[in-house]
Structure formats: structure tokens, C-alpha cells
Amino acid sequence: VPSLLVWRGQRGTAVHVAIGLMMAVHPAALVYLFQVQPWQIDMHMYFFVALAGLTLLCDRWPLIAAGTLTAVHHLLLNYIAPEWVFLGSGQLTRVFVHALAVTIQVAVLILLVERVRIVPMQNVEQPRLPPNGSRQNAKPKPGDGRTCWNSQRISKRLSPPS
């Protein structure tokens, strides 16, 4: 779905959220595929890998979407089909421990994303100081093309030719 959205030229938060949701679905599929295997619990690490990868979008919403889907997935499947999530049986306490870890990870990554969004990219010309020497108006703003990944430029390169 996210690839189709980008291919159609759509951009912005909706596409980022779609990417975030898919980045949560893939590790869930791994956990399911490894059910009743000794490595099933190890597949949970890929939720954290996926969350870390979402920081490249420089947007908090895909992180929130992926974290929420991950927590809800664990909670629901703990009751519906615990063997799909945990080797043996799940316990509500275990689900909360996992949800807490995901919540902390998402919170830290959101802080990182927000800090990165306000730092100018190194290879981009820095804004010139106004005549009075004040840096107040010289700070780059998120989305002005000088901060984080310029996702619009990247999306345009991936879009079909017009």
C-alpha cells in the first residue's frame, strides 16, 4: 500500500503512517511464522528495528502508528491466540512489559526525530544572519527543505514519470 501511494504521487503524513503500519506488520508476521519455534521470542527484536528505521521519515506519526499497532497486536493476540505471540502462553503482565518497552522506544525516537528536524543538513547552505546579527530568524523550519530528509524530493524521484 505505501509503495502504491508514493507511485501515485501522494506524499505527507498519510503515506508515512501507511509505511509505519506496514513496518509493524512485517515483524508481526515474523513472530507468527516462528510460532512454537525457540526463536519466536527473538523475532520480537524486529519490532524495534522497524521502529528505528521509521526515524528516517522524520515524522512522529508513523512512529505513533507503528507503536500503537504493535501494542494492540500483542494485547489482542494475548487473548485470541497467545501462541502466535509468545512461545507457550502469554500473560497480561508480559504484554504490559512489551508494551512499556515499545512505548519508551517510540518516545525516545520521537524526541530524536523532533531534534533532527530542526538541525540543518550539513551539505546545505546555512542561512545567512540578518543584518542585526540575530540568529532568531535564521533558524531553519521543519519542512523547508533544509532539514532532515527532504522526503518530497525523494518521493518525486520515486514517482512515475509524468
Side-chain angles (χ1 to χ4, degrees):
V1 173
S3 299
L4 182 61
L5 293 173
V6 171
W7 183 259
R8 289 183 173 176
Q10 295 181 7
R11 292 159 184 57
T13 301
V15 175
H16 289 177
V17 168
I19 292 169
L21 293 173
M22 289 310 299
M23 292 290 280
V25 167
H26 289 140
L30 278 175
V31 171
Y32 170 75
L33 290 172
F34 276 81
Q35 66 181 328
V36 302
Q37 301 293 322
W39 286 63
Q40 182 185 31
I41 197 69
D42 299 301
M43 295 302 108
H44 282 81
M45 292 188 299
Y46 287 95
F47 284 104
F48 296 102
V49 172
L51 288 169
L54 288 173
T55 60
L56 295 174
L57 296 174
C58 295
D59 187 349
R60 71 173 52 199
W61 293 109
L63 289 164
I64 293 168
T68 302
L69 181 60
T70 300
V72 168
H73 149 262
H74 277 72
L75 183 61
L76 289 177
L77 290 181
N78 183 59
Y79 293 108
I80 297 170
E83 65 279 358
W84 289 9
V85 183
F86 300 111
L87 184 59
S89 66
Q91 300 169 340
L92 192 56
T93 306
R94 195 173 187 188
V95 171
F96 283 127
V97 167
H98 283 225
L100 179 62
V102 169
T103 301
I104 292 169
Q105 174 82 9
V106 167
V108 168
L109 293 175
I110 287 172
L111 289 173
L112 174 68
V113 162
E114 293 304 316
R115 296 208 72 189
V116 167
R117 289 181 66 183
I118 60 170
V119 175
M121 294 177 67
Q122 292 179 359
N123 64 344
V124 177
E125 181 180 324
Q126 297 297 316
R128 296 189 181 165
L129 293 176
N132 65 4
S134 168
R135 292 187 178 270
Q136 184 177 5
N137 296 326
K139 291 181 183 178
K141 296 179 180 102
D144 71 356
R146 296 181 294 164
T147 58
C148 205
W149 291 87
N150 190 335
S151 59
Q152 289 184 348
R153 188 171 16 152
I154 293 168
S155 295
K156 285 179 185 175
R157 288 183 185 166
L158 297 175
S159 298
S162 337

PDB file of all heavy atoms in Angstrom, residues 63-102:
ATOM      1  N   LEU A  63       5.712   6.651  13.705  1.00  0.00           N
ATOM      2  CA  LEU A  63       6.197   6.008  14.929  1.00  0.00           C
ATOM      3  C   LEU A  63       5.039   5.718  15.877  1.00  0.00           C
ATOM      4  O   LEU A  63       4.941   4.629  16.451  1.00  0.00           O
ATOM      5  CB  LEU A  63       7.236   6.896  15.621  1.00  0.00           C
ATOM      6  CG  LEU A  63       8.581   7.006  14.923  1.00  0.00           C
ATOM      7  CD1 LEU A  63       9.376   8.183  15.455  1.00  0.00           C
ATOM      8  CD2 LEU A  63       9.359   5.713  15.083  1.00  0.00           C
ATOM      9  N   ILE A  64       4.147   6.690  16.031  1.00  0.00           N
ATOM     10  CA  ILE A  64       2.982   6.509  16.891  1.00  0.00           C
ATOM     11  C   ILE A  64       2.081   5.401  16.346  1.00  0.00           C
ATOM     12  O   ILE A  64       1.614   4.537  17.098  1.00  0.00           O
ATOM     13  CB  ILE A  64       2.220   7.835  17.052  1.00  0.00           C
ATOM     14  CG1 ILE A  64       3.081   8.837  17.844  1.00  0.00           C
ATOM     15  CG2 ILE A  64       0.863   7.620  17.716  1.00  0.00           C
ATOM     16  CD1 ILE A  64       2.556  10.261  17.829  1.00  0.00           C
ATOM     17  N   ALA A  65       1.859   5.400  15.032  1.00  0.00           N
ATOM     18  CA  ALA A  65       1.004   4.378  14.418  1.00  0.00           C
ATOM     19  C   ALA A  65       1.603   2.992  14.594  1.00  0.00           C
ATOM     20  O   ALA A  65       0.904   2.044  14.985  1.00  0.00           O
ATOM     21  CB  ALA A  65       0.796   4.687  12.928  1.00  0.00           C
ATOM     22  N   ALA A  66       2.884   2.846  14.323  1.00  0.00           N
ATOM     23  CA  ALA A  66       3.534   1.537  14.435  1.00  0.00           C
ATOM     24  C   ALA A  66       3.571   1.071  15.892  1.00  0.00           C
ATOM     25  O   ALA A  66       3.317  -0.110  16.175  1.00  0.00           O
ATOM     26  CB  ALA A  66       4.947   1.599  13.861  1.00  0.00           C
ATOM     27  N   GLY A  67       3.887   1.968  16.800  1.00  0.00           N
ATOM     28  CA  GLY A  67       3.920   1.600  18.220  1.00  0.00           C
ATOM     29  C   GLY A  67       2.551   1.187  18.728  1.00  0.00           C
ATOM     30  O   GLY A  67       2.418   0.202  19.470  1.00  0.00           O
ATOM     31  N   THR A  68       1.529   1.921  18.330  1.00  0.00           N
ATOM     32  CA  THR A  68       0.168   1.597  18.749  1.00  0.00           C
ATOM     33  C   THR A  68      -0.266   0.252  18.185  1.00  0.00           C
ATOM     34  O   THR A  68      -0.813  -0.592  18.911  1.00  0.00           O
ATOM     35  CB  THR A  68      -0.807   2.704  18.302  1.00  0.00           C
ATOM     36  OG1 THR A  68      -0.389   3.945  18.864  1.00  0.00           O
ATOM     37  CG2 THR A  68      -2.226   2.396  18.736  1.00  0.00           C
ATOM     38  N   LEU A  69      -0.027   0.033  16.903  1.00  0.00           N
ATOM     39  CA  LEU A  69      -0.400  -1.239  16.296  1.00  0.00           C
ATOM     40  C   LEU A  69       0.338  -2.403  16.961  1.00  0.00           C
ATOM     41  O   LEU A  69      -0.240  -3.461  17.211  1.00  0.00           O
ATOM     42  CB  LEU A  69      -0.116  -1.230  14.789  1.00  0.00           C
ATOM     43  CG  LEU A  69      -0.498  -2.504  14.042  1.00  0.00           C
ATOM     44  CD1 LEU A  69      -1.991  -2.799  14.181  1.00  0.00           C
ATOM     45  CD2 LEU A  69      -0.115  -2.392  12.579  1.00  0.00           C
ATOM     46  N   THR A  70       1.598  -2.208  17.290  1.00  0.00           N
ATOM     47  CA  THR A  70       2.385  -3.247  17.948  1.00  0.00           C
ATOM     48  C   THR A  70       1.794  -3.596  19.309  1.00  0.00           C
ATOM     49  O   THR A  70       1.607  -4.776  19.646  1.00  0.00           O
ATOM     50  CB  THR A  70       3.856  -2.795  18.102  1.00  0.00           C
ATOM     51  OG1 THR A  70       4.392  -2.554  16.798  1.00  0.00           O
ATOM     52  CG2 THR A  70       4.691  -3.842  18.808  1.00  0.00           C
ATOM     53  N   ALA A  71       1.472  -2.584  20.094  1.00  0.00           N
ATOM     54  CA  ALA A  71       0.910  -2.824  21.427  1.00  0.00           C
ATOM     55  C   ALA A  71      -0.465  -3.484  21.336  1.00  0.00           C
ATOM     56  O   ALA A  71      -0.754  -4.446  22.061  1.00  0.00           O
ATOM     57  CB  ALA A  71       0.833  -1.516  22.199  1.00  0.00           C
ATOM     58  N   VAL A  72      -1.306  -2.994  20.433  1.00  0.00           N
ATOM     59  CA  VAL A  72      -2.653  -3.553  20.276  1.00  0.00           C
ATOM     60  C   VAL A  72      -2.564  -4.997  19.779  1.00  0.00           C
ATOM     61  O   VAL A  72      -3.286  -5.878  20.251  1.00  0.00           O
ATOM     62  CB  VAL A  72      -3.501  -2.673  19.327  1.00  0.00           C
ATOM     63  CG1 VAL A  72      -4.784  -3.374  18.924  1.00  0.00           C
ATOM     64  CG2 VAL A  72      -3.805  -1.336  19.986  1.00  0.00           C
ATOM     65  N   HIS A  73      -1.651  -5.242  18.856  1.00  0.00           N
ATOM     66  CA  HIS A  73      -1.441  -6.601  18.323  1.00  0.00           C
ATOM     67  C   HIS A  73      -1.096  -7.568  19.458  1.00  0.00           C
ATOM     68  O   HIS A  73      -1.663  -8.647  19.571  1.00  0.00           O
ATOM     69  CB  HIS A  73      -0.338  -6.531  17.258  1.00  0.00           C
ATOM     70  CG  HIS A  73       0.501  -7.756  17.122  1.00  0.00           C
ATOM     71  ND1 HIS A  73       1.730  -7.866  17.724  1.00  0.00           N
ATOM     72  CD2 HIS A  73       0.306  -8.906  16.453  1.00  0.00           C
ATOM     73  CE1 HIS A  73       2.249  -9.045  17.424  1.00  0.00           C
ATOM     74  NE2 HIS A  73       1.408  -9.695  16.657  1.00  0.00           N
ATOM     75  N   HIS A  74      -0.173  -7.166  20.320  1.00  0.00           N
ATOM     76  CA  HIS A  74       0.218  -8.039  21.427  1.00  0.00           C
ATOM     77  C   HIS A  74      -0.941  -8.250  22.407  1.00  0.00           C
ATOM     78  O   HIS A  74      -1.166  -9.367  22.880  1.00  0.00           O
ATOM     79  CB  HIS A  74       1.425  -7.454  22.162  1.00  0.00           C
ATOM     80  CG  HIS A  74       2.725  -7.776  21.524  1.00  0.00           C
ATOM     81  ND1 HIS A  74       3.144  -7.209  20.355  1.00  0.00           N
ATOM     82  CD2 HIS A  74       3.702  -8.639  21.896  1.00  0.00           C
ATOM     83  CE1 HIS A  74       4.321  -7.683  20.029  1.00  0.00           C
ATOM     84  NE2 HIS A  74       4.686  -8.558  20.946  1.00  0.00           N
ATOM     85  N   LEU A  75      -1.651  -7.184  22.707  1.00  0.00           N
ATOM     86  CA  LEU A  75      -2.743  -7.283  23.672  1.00  0.00           C
ATOM     87  C   LEU A  75      -3.868  -8.175  23.149  1.00  0.00           C
ATOM     88  O   LEU A  75      -4.329  -9.087  23.850  1.00  0.00           O
ATOM     89  CB  LEU A  75      -3.283  -5.892  24.012  1.00  0.00           C
ATOM     90  CG  LEU A  75      -4.382  -5.840  25.062  1.00  0.00           C
ATOM     91  CD1 LEU A  75      -3.878  -6.391  26.394  1.00  0.00           C
ATOM     92  CD2 LEU A  75      -4.874  -4.415  25.236  1.00  0.00           C
ATOM     93  N   LEU A  76      -4.318  -7.937  21.924  1.00  0.00           N
ATOM     94  CA  LEU A  76      -5.420  -8.734  21.371  1.00  0.00           C
ATOM     95  C   LEU A  76      -5.031 -10.195  21.199  1.00  0.00           C
ATOM     96  O   LEU A  76      -5.792 -11.098  21.576  1.00  0.00           O
ATOM     97  CB  LEU A  76      -5.878  -8.155  20.035  1.00  0.00           C
ATOM     98  CG  LEU A  76      -6.630  -6.829  20.099  1.00  0.00           C
ATOM     99  CD1 LEU A  76      -6.960  -6.337  18.692  1.00  0.00           C
ATOM    100  CD2 LEU A  76      -7.890  -6.963  20.935  1.00  0.00           C
ATOM    101  N   LEU A  77      -3.867 -10.430  20.618  1.00  0.00           N
ATOM    102  CA  LEU A  77      -3.466 -11.817  20.374  1.00  0.00           C
ATOM    103  C   LEU A  77      -3.144 -12.565  21.658  1.00  0.00           C
ATOM    104  O   LEU A  77      -3.193 -13.800  21.692  1.00  0.00           O
ATOM    105  CB  LEU A  77      -2.297 -11.877  19.392  1.00  0.00           C
ATOM    106  CG  LEU A  77      -2.651 -11.502  17.961  1.00  0.00           C
ATOM    107  CD1 LEU A  77      -1.441 -11.611  17.051  1.00  0.00           C
ATOM    108  CD2 LEU A  77      -3.791 -12.364  17.424  1.00  0.00           C
ATOM    109  N   ASN A  78      -2.826 -11.841  22.721  1.00  0.00           N
ATOM    110  CA  ASN A  78      -2.617 -12.491  24.005  1.00  0.00           C
ATOM    111  C   ASN A  78      -3.873 -13.248  24.438  1.00  0.00           C
ATOM    112  O   ASN A  78      -3.790 -14.290  25.082  1.00  0.00           O
ATOM    113  CB  ASN A  78      -2.239 -11.458  25.062  1.00  0.00           C
ATOM    114  CG  ASN A  78      -1.946 -12.097  26.398  1.00  0.00           C
ATOM    115  OD1 ASN A  78      -1.055 -12.926  26.517  1.00  0.00           O
ATOM    116  ND2 ASN A  78      -2.720 -11.729  27.410  1.00  0.00           N
ATOM    117  N   TYR A  79      -5.046 -12.725  24.061  1.00  0.00           N
ATOM    118  CA  TYR A  79      -6.305 -13.374  24.418  1.00  0.00           C
ATOM    119  C   TYR A  79      -6.839 -14.272  23.297  1.00  0.00           C
ATOM    120  O   TYR A  79      -7.405 -15.329  23.565  1.00  0.00           O
ATOM    121  CB  TYR A  79      -7.369 -12.320  24.758  1.00  0.00           C
ATOM    122  CG  TYR A  79      -7.026 -11.577  26.021  1.00  0.00           C
ATOM    123  CD1 TYR A  79      -6.597 -10.263  25.973  1.00  0.00           C
ATOM    124  CD2 TYR A  79      -7.117 -12.196  27.258  1.00  0.00           C
ATOM    125  CE1 TYR A  79      -6.269  -9.586  27.131  1.00  0.00           C
ATOM    126  CE2 TYR A  79      -6.783 -11.531  28.424  1.00  0.00           C
ATOM    127  CZ  TYR A  79      -6.365 -10.218  28.357  1.00  0.00           C
ATOM    128  OH  TYR A  79      -6.033  -9.565  29.505  1.00  0.00           O
ATOM    129  N   ILE A  80      -6.656 -13.855  22.060  1.00  0.00           N
ATOM    130  CA  ILE A  80      -7.229 -14.604  20.932  1.00  0.00           C
ATOM    131  C   ILE A  80      -6.378 -15.821  20.583  1.00  0.00           C
ATOM    132  O   ILE A  80      -6.903 -16.924  20.402  1.00  0.00           O
ATOM    133  CB  ILE A  80      -7.370 -13.679  19.703  1.00  0.00           C
ATOM    134  CG1 ILE A  80      -8.345 -12.544  20.019  1.00  0.00           C
ATOM    135  CG2 ILE A  80      -7.837 -14.469  18.491  1.00  0.00           C
ATOM    136  CD1 ILE A  80      -8.363 -11.445  18.963  1.00  0.00           C
ATOM    137  N   ALA A  81      -5.081 -15.619  20.418  1.00  0.00           N
ATOM    138  CA  ALA A  81      -4.174 -16.706  20.018  1.00  0.00           C
ATOM    139  C   ALA A  81      -2.796 -16.455  20.621  1.00  0.00           C
ATOM    140  O   ALA A  81      -1.868 -16.020  19.933  1.00  0.00           O
ATOM    141  CB  ALA A  81      -4.102 -16.780  18.500  1.00  0.00           C
ATOM    142  N   PRO A  82      -2.631 -16.719  21.923  1.00  0.00           N
ATOM    143  CA  PRO A  82      -1.361 -16.390  22.588  1.00  0.00           C
ATOM    144  C   PRO A  82      -0.142 -17.067  21.976  1.00  0.00           C
ATOM    145  O   PRO A  82       0.955 -16.502  21.999  1.00  0.00           O
ATOM    146  CB  PRO A  82      -1.578 -16.849  24.035  1.00  0.00           C
ATOM    147  CG  PRO A  82      -2.835 -17.604  24.069  1.00  0.00           C
ATOM    148  CD  PRO A  82      -3.595 -17.327  22.812  1.00  0.00           C
ATOM    149  N   GLU A  83      -0.313 -18.239  21.384  1.00  0.00           N
ATOM    150  CA  GLU A  83       0.839 -18.932  20.782  1.00  0.00           C
ATOM    151  C   GLU A  83       1.367 -18.210  19.551  1.00  0.00           C
ATOM    152  O   GLU A  83       2.481 -18.457  19.112  1.00  0.00           O
ATOM    153  CB  GLU A  83       0.478 -20.390  20.438  1.00  0.00           C
ATOM    154  CG  GLU A  83      -0.582 -20.546  19.369  1.00  0.00           C
ATOM    155  CD  GLU A  83      -2.026 -20.374  19.859  1.00  0.00           C
ATOM    156  OE1 GLU A  83      -2.252 -20.170  21.062  1.00  0.00           O
ATOM    157  OE2 GLU A  83      -2.934 -20.441  19.013  1.00  0.00           O
ATOM    158  N   TRP A  84       0.570 -17.311  18.985  1.00  0.00           N
ATOM    159  CA  TRP A  84       1.039 -16.518  17.843  1.00  0.00           C
ATOM    160  C   TRP A  84       2.016 -15.435  18.291  1.00  0.00           C
ATOM    161  O   TRP A  84       2.753 -14.897  17.483  1.00  0.00           O
ATOM    162  CB  TRP A  84      -0.124 -15.860  17.117  1.00  0.00           C
ATOM    163  CG  TRP A  84      -0.995 -16.793  16.344  1.00  0.00           C
ATOM    164  CD1 TRP A  84      -0.964 -18.160  16.354  1.00  0.00           C
ATOM    165  CD2 TRP A  84      -2.029 -16.411  15.451  1.00  0.00           C
ATOM    166  NE1 TRP A  84      -1.920 -18.656  15.516  1.00  0.00           N
ATOM    167  CE2 TRP A  84      -2.596 -17.601  14.943  1.00  0.00           C
ATOM    168  CE3 TRP A  84      -2.538 -15.202  15.033  1.00  0.00           C
ATOM    169  CZ2 TRP A  84      -3.641 -17.606  14.036  1.00  0.00           C
ATOM    170  CZ3 TRP A  84      -3.593 -15.200  14.128  1.00  0.00           C
ATOM    171  CH2 TRP A  84      -4.130 -16.384  13.633  1.00  0.00           C
ATOM    172  N   VAL A  85       1.990 -15.104  19.569  1.00  0.00           N
ATOM    173  CA  VAL A  85       2.816 -14.009  20.068  1.00  0.00           C
ATOM    174  C   VAL A  85       3.947 -14.508  20.962  1.00  0.00           C
ATOM    175  O   VAL A  85       5.075 -14.058  20.864  1.00  0.00           O
ATOM    176  CB  VAL A  85       1.955 -12.976  20.841  1.00  0.00           C
ATOM    177  CG1 VAL A  85       2.800 -11.812  21.300  1.00  0.00           C
ATOM    178  CG2 VAL A  85       0.807 -12.493  19.981  1.00  0.00           C
ATOM    179  N   PHE A  86       3.625 -15.450  21.847  1.00  0.00           N
ATOM    180  CA  PHE A  86       4.614 -15.934  22.816  1.00  0.00           C
ATOM    181  C   PHE A  86       4.698 -17.442  22.766  1.00  0.00           C
ATOM    182  O   PHE A  86       3.684 -18.128  22.650  1.00  0.00           O
ATOM    183  CB  PHE A  86       4.226 -15.519  24.240  1.00  0.00           C
ATOM    184  CG  PHE A  86       4.125 -14.039  24.429  1.00  0.00           C
ATOM    185  CD1 PHE A  86       2.893 -13.443  24.656  1.00  0.00           C
ATOM    186  CD2 PHE A  86       5.247 -13.226  24.393  1.00  0.00           C
ATOM    187  CE1 PHE A  86       2.777 -12.077  24.842  1.00  0.00           C
ATOM    188  CE2 PHE A  86       5.148 -11.865  24.572  1.00  0.00           C
ATOM    189  CZ  PHE A  86       3.912 -11.288  24.793  1.00  0.00           C
ATOM    190  N   LEU A  87       5.909 -17.952  22.889  1.00  0.00           N
ATOM    191  CA  LEU A  87       6.105 -19.390  22.987  1.00  0.00           C
ATOM    192  C   LEU A  87       5.494 -19.852  24.304  1.00  0.00           C
ATOM    193  O   LEU A  87       5.739 -19.265  25.348  1.00  0.00           O
ATOM    194  CB  LEU A  87       7.600 -19.729  22.943  1.00  0.00           C
ATOM    195  CG  LEU A  87       7.981 -21.206  22.938  1.00  0.00           C
ATOM    196  CD1 LEU A  87       7.364 -21.912  21.735  1.00  0.00           C
ATOM    197  CD2 LEU A  87       9.485 -21.367  22.917  1.00  0.00           C
ATOM    198  N   GLY A  88       4.699 -20.857  24.239  1.00  0.00           N
ATOM    199  CA  GLY A  88       3.983 -21.292  25.443  1.00  0.00           C
ATOM    200  C   GLY A  88       2.703 -20.495  25.557  1.00  0.00           C
ATOM    201  O   GLY A  88       1.863 -20.520  24.680  1.00  0.00           O
ATOM    202  N   SER A  89       2.573 -19.756  26.608  1.00  0.00           N
ATOM    203  CA  SER A  89       1.371 -18.939  26.775  1.00  0.00           C
ATOM    204  C   SER A  89       1.763 -17.527  27.168  1.00  0.00           C
ATOM    205  O   SER A  89       2.818 -17.306  27.754  1.00  0.00           O
ATOM    206  CB  SER A  89       0.456 -19.550  27.840  1.00  0.00           C
ATOM    207  OG  SER A  89       1.091 -19.494  29.094  1.00  0.00           O
ATOM    208  N   GLY A  90       0.909 -16.603  26.831  1.00  0.00           N
ATOM    209  CA  GLY A  90       1.150 -15.228  27.194  1.00  0.00           C
ATOM    210  C   GLY A  90       0.500 -14.895  28.516  1.00  0.00           C
ATOM    211  O   GLY A  90      -0.361 -15.614  29.004  1.00  0.00           O
ATOM    212  N   GLN A  91       0.945 -13.841  29.115  1.00  0.00           N
ATOM    213  CA  GLN A  91       0.358 -13.341  30.347  1.00  0.00           C
ATOM    214  C   GLN A  91       0.201 -11.842  30.172  1.00  0.00           C
ATOM    215  O   GLN A  91       1.004 -11.196  29.494  1.00  0.00           O
ATOM    216  CB  GLN A  91       1.266 -13.619  31.537  1.00  0.00           C
ATOM    217  CG  GLN A  91       1.555 -15.086  31.770  1.00  0.00           C
ATOM    218  CD  GLN A  91       2.670 -15.260  32.793  1.00  0.00           C
ATOM    219  OE1 GLN A  91       3.440 -14.353  33.048  1.00  0.00           O
ATOM    220  NE2 GLN A  91       2.743 -16.448  33.363  1.00  0.00           N
ATOM    221  N   LEU A  92      -0.813 -11.298  30.818  1.00  0.00           N
ATOM    222  CA  LEU A  92      -1.058  -9.871  30.691  1.00  0.00           C
ATOM    223  C   LEU A  92       0.145  -9.051  31.172  1.00  0.00           C
ATOM    224  O   LEU A  92       0.504  -8.050  30.559  1.00  0.00           O
ATOM    225  CB  LEU A  92      -2.324  -9.484  31.465  1.00  0.00           C
ATOM    226  CG  LEU A  92      -2.864  -8.094  31.198  1.00  0.00           C
ATOM    227  CD1 LEU A  92      -3.135  -7.886  29.713  1.00  0.00           C
ATOM    228  CD2 LEU A  92      -4.136  -7.859  32.000  1.00  0.00           C
ATOM    229  N   THR A  93       0.794  -9.511  32.219  1.00  0.00           N
ATOM    230  CA  THR A  93       1.986  -8.808  32.716  1.00  0.00           C
ATOM    231  C   THR A  93       3.068  -8.783  31.646  1.00  0.00           C
ATOM    232  O   THR A  93       3.722  -7.752  31.441  1.00  0.00           O
ATOM    233  CB  THR A  93       2.525  -9.501  33.985  1.00  0.00           C
ATOM    234  OG1 THR A  93       1.480  -9.600  34.936  1.00  0.00           O
ATOM    235  CG2 THR A  93       3.691  -8.738  34.572  1.00  0.00           C
ATOM    236  N   ARG A  94       3.237  -9.866  30.959  1.00  0.00           N
ATOM    237  CA  ARG A  94       4.247  -9.952  29.896  1.00  0.00           C
ATOM    238  C   ARG A  94       3.908  -8.995  28.749  1.00  0.00           C
ATOM    239  O   ARG A  94       4.781  -8.340  28.193  1.00  0.00           O
ATOM    240  CB  ARG A  94       4.306 -11.389  29.387  1.00  0.00           C
ATOM    241  CG  ARG A  94       5.504 -11.706  28.571  1.00  0.00           C
ATOM    242  CD  ARG A  94       5.525 -13.195  28.294  1.00  0.00           C
ATOM    243  NE  ARG A  94       6.744 -13.574  27.649  1.00  0.00           N
ATOM    244  CZ  ARG A  94       6.963 -14.784  27.148  1.00  0.00           C
ATOM    245  NH1 ARG A  94       6.047 -15.716  27.249  1.00  0.00           N
ATOM    246  NH2 ARG A  94       8.096 -15.053  26.559  1.00  0.00           N
ATOM    247  N   VAL A  95       2.623  -8.901  28.413  1.00  0.00           N
ATOM    248  CA  VAL A  95       2.182  -7.979  27.370  1.00  0.00           C
ATOM    249  C   VAL A  95       2.489  -6.542  27.783  1.00  0.00           C
ATOM    250  O   VAL A  95       2.977  -5.743  26.988  1.00  0.00           O
ATOM    251  CB  VAL A  95       0.675  -8.159  27.081  1.00  0.00           C
ATOM    252  CG1 VAL A  95       0.162  -7.061  26.158  1.00  0.00           C
ATOM    253  CG2 VAL A  95       0.412  -9.523  26.489  1.00  0.00           C
ATOM    254  N   PHE A  96       2.228  -6.208  29.044  1.00  0.00           N
ATOM    255  CA  PHE A  96       2.496  -4.843  29.519  1.00  0.00           C
ATOM    256  C   PHE A  96       3.988  -4.534  29.519  1.00  0.00           C
ATOM    257  O   PHE A  96       4.387  -3.409  29.221  1.00  0.00           O
ATOM    258  CB  PHE A  96       1.879  -4.606  30.891  1.00  0.00           C
ATOM    259  CG  PHE A  96       0.398  -4.384  30.845  1.00  0.00           C
ATOM    260  CD1 PHE A  96      -0.450  -5.130  31.635  1.00  0.00           C
ATOM    261  CD2 PHE A  96      -0.156  -3.433  29.995  1.00  0.00           C
ATOM    262  CE1 PHE A  96      -1.827  -4.937  31.585  1.00  0.00           C
ATOM    263  CE2 PHE A  96      -1.528  -3.224  29.939  1.00  0.00           C
ATOM    264  CZ  PHE A  96      -2.368  -3.983  30.732  1.00  0.00           C
ATOM    265  N   VAL A  97       4.810  -5.517  29.835  1.00  0.00           N
ATOM    266  CA  VAL A  97       6.271  -5.308  29.782  1.00  0.00           C
ATOM    267  C   VAL A  97       6.697  -4.993  28.348  1.00  0.00           C
ATOM    268  O   VAL A  97       7.475  -4.066  28.106  1.00  0.00           O
ATOM    269  CB  VAL A  97       7.025  -6.538  30.337  1.00  0.00           C
ATOM    270  CG1 VAL A  97       8.507  -6.473  30.004  1.00  0.00           C
ATOM    271  CG2 VAL A  97       6.817  -6.643  31.837  1.00  0.00           C
ATOM    272  N   HIS A  98       6.167  -5.741  27.402  1.00  0.00           N
ATOM    273  CA  HIS A  98       6.482  -5.486  25.989  1.00  0.00           C
ATOM    274  C   HIS A  98       5.946  -4.125  25.546  1.00  0.00           C
ATOM    275  O   HIS A  98       6.633  -3.376  24.852  1.00  0.00           O
ATOM    276  CB  HIS A  98       5.904  -6.593  25.106  1.00  0.00           C
ATOM    277  CG  HIS A  98       6.692  -7.859  25.133  1.00  0.00           C
ATOM    278  ND1 HIS A  98       7.007  -8.556  23.991  1.00  0.00           N
ATOM    279  CD2 HIS A  98       7.236  -8.556  26.152  1.00  0.00           C
ATOM    280  CE1 HIS A  98       7.714  -9.630  24.304  1.00  0.00           C
ATOM    281  NE2 HIS A  98       7.852  -9.647  25.616  1.00  0.00           N
ATOM    282  N   ALA A  99       4.709  -3.815  25.938  1.00  0.00           N
ATOM    283  CA  ALA A  99       4.104  -2.530  25.560  1.00  0.00           C
ATOM    284  C   ALA A  99       4.888  -1.368  26.161  1.00  0.00           C
ATOM    285  O   ALA A  99       5.077  -0.331  25.507  1.00  0.00           O
ATOM    286  CB  ALA A  99       2.649  -2.482  25.999  1.00  0.00           C
ATOM    287  N   LEU A 100       5.369  -1.523  27.376  1.00  0.00           N
ATOM    288  CA  LEU A 100       6.174  -0.469  28.004  1.00  0.00           C
ATOM    289  C   LEU A 100       7.478  -0.251  27.234  1.00  0.00           C
ATOM    290  O   LEU A 100       7.871   0.889  26.974  1.00  0.00           O
ATOM    291  CB  LEU A 100       6.465  -0.822  29.461  1.00  0.00           C
ATOM    292  CG  LEU A 100       7.325   0.181  30.230  1.00  0.00           C
ATOM    293  CD1 LEU A 100       6.624   1.539  30.315  1.00  0.00           C
ATOM    294  CD2 LEU A 100       7.648  -0.357  31.625  1.00  0.00           C
ATOM    295  N   ALA A 101       8.115  -1.340  26.842  1.00  0.00           N
ATOM    296  CA  ALA A 101       9.360  -1.217  26.067  1.00  0.00           C
ATOM    297  C   ALA A 101       9.111  -0.512  24.736  1.00  0.00           C
ATOM    298  O   ALA A 101       9.879   0.372  24.333  1.00  0.00           O
ATOM    299  CB  ALA A 101       9.969  -2.602  25.827  1.00  0.00           C
ATOM    300  N   VAL A 102       8.023  -0.862  24.061  1.00  0.00           N
ATOM    301  CA  VAL A 102       7.696  -0.215  22.782  1.00  0.00           C
ATOM    302  C   VAL A 102       7.373   1.263  23.003  1.00  0.00           C
ATOM    303  O   VAL A 102       7.822   2.125  22.240  1.00  0.00           O
ATOM    304  CB  VAL A 102       6.517  -0.942  22.090  1.00  0.00           C
ATOM    305  CG1 VAL A 102       5.983  -0.138  20.911  1.00  0.00           C
ATOM    306  CG2 VAL A 102       6.962  -2.323  21.626  1.00  0.00           C
TER     307      VAL A 102
END
